[in-house]
Amino acid sequence: MRALGSWLLSLAAVGLFGAVIAAVAPGKHQKTVRFAVGLAVILLVLRPLQNRWAVSLPAELAHYEAEVAGRLRAARGSAQTAAVEMVCAQTARSCELALEEIGILADVTLVPSADGARFLRAEISYEVWPDSDLCAEAAAVITAQTGVAAEDQIHR
C-alpha cells in the first residue's frame, strides 16, 4: 500500500512540477517542455511494470536528458553562427558606406575568427580601381572600422 501511495505522490508531483515549468517556459520552448513532462508522466505511469520489463527510469531519463542537452547545444551553436554572420554583414555594409563617403565604390567582405570575437581578414573588391592614395585611405578606413590591419586586407 505504501508503494502505491508513493507512486501516486510521485505522479502528482511530476504533473504539478511540469505544469509550473510549462507555464514559465518561453513560448518557443513550450512544446519541448510539454513533451518532456508528458514523457516523465508516461514513464512514471509505467514504473510499476519496471520489475517485469527491466525498465530503468533513471537510465531512461538520463538518456533523454543527454539527447535534450545535445539538441540545446546544437541550437546555441547555430544561433551563434547566425549572430556572427549578421555582425559581419552589418560591419561590411558600414565599411562600404564609409568608403562611399570618400568616393570609393567597393564591396567589402569580412572573415571572422573561429570564435567570432574579431575579424581576421577583409577583402575589398573595387568597382573602379582607385589610385594609390585612395587605396591607402581605403585601407585606413577598413582598419578603423574593423580592426583588420592593412597587411591582412586583400584589395582587388
Side-chain angles (χ1 to χ4, degrees):
M1 217 42 193
R2 181 176 285 187
L4 178 63
S6 174
W7 176 70
L8 288 173
L9 184 62
S10 297
L11 193 58
V14 166
L16 181 64
F17 180 73
V20 169
I21 295 297
V24 298
K28 65 180 183 177
H29 298 295
Q30 289 267 337
K31 285 185 177 182
T32 305
V33 170
R34 286 196 317 250
F35 173 76
V37 170
L39 185 62
V41 168
I42 289 170
L43 290 174
L44 275 174
V45 166
L46 297 176
R47 188 171 184 191
L49 303 175
Q50 176 181 3
N51 293 337
R52 296 187 85 174
W53 292 344
V55 173
S56 171
L57 181 61
E60 290 294 317
L61 289 177
H63 169 73
Y64 289 115
E65 180 182 359
E67 182 153 340
V68 168
R71 288 183 182 188
L72 287 174
R73 278 192 301 276
R76 277 189 219 112
S78 64
Q80 181 179 3
T81 300
V84 168
E85 288 173 359
M86 184 176 67
V87 167
C88 284
Q90 288 178 344
T91 306
R93 182 64 187 140
S94 174
C95 290
E96 290 168 359
L97 291 173
L99 291 174
E100 281 181 28
E101 287 180 7
I102 59 172
I104 300 173
L105 297 177
D107 290 325
V108 177
T109 304
L110 300 171
V111 178
S113 62
D115 62 359
R118 61 188 176 91
F119 299 111
L120 295 177
R121 188 174 68 244
E123 299 174 5
I124 302 91
S125 301
Y126 299 101
E127 290 184 20
V128 176
W129 188 261
D131 62 15
S132 61
D133 291 338
L134 276 178
C135 195
E137 193 172 343
V141 166
I142 299 298
T143 299
Q145 292 277 334
T146 64
V148 176
E151 58 269 8
D152 294 327
Q153 297 176 20
I154 300 170
H155 297 263
R156 43 184 148 134

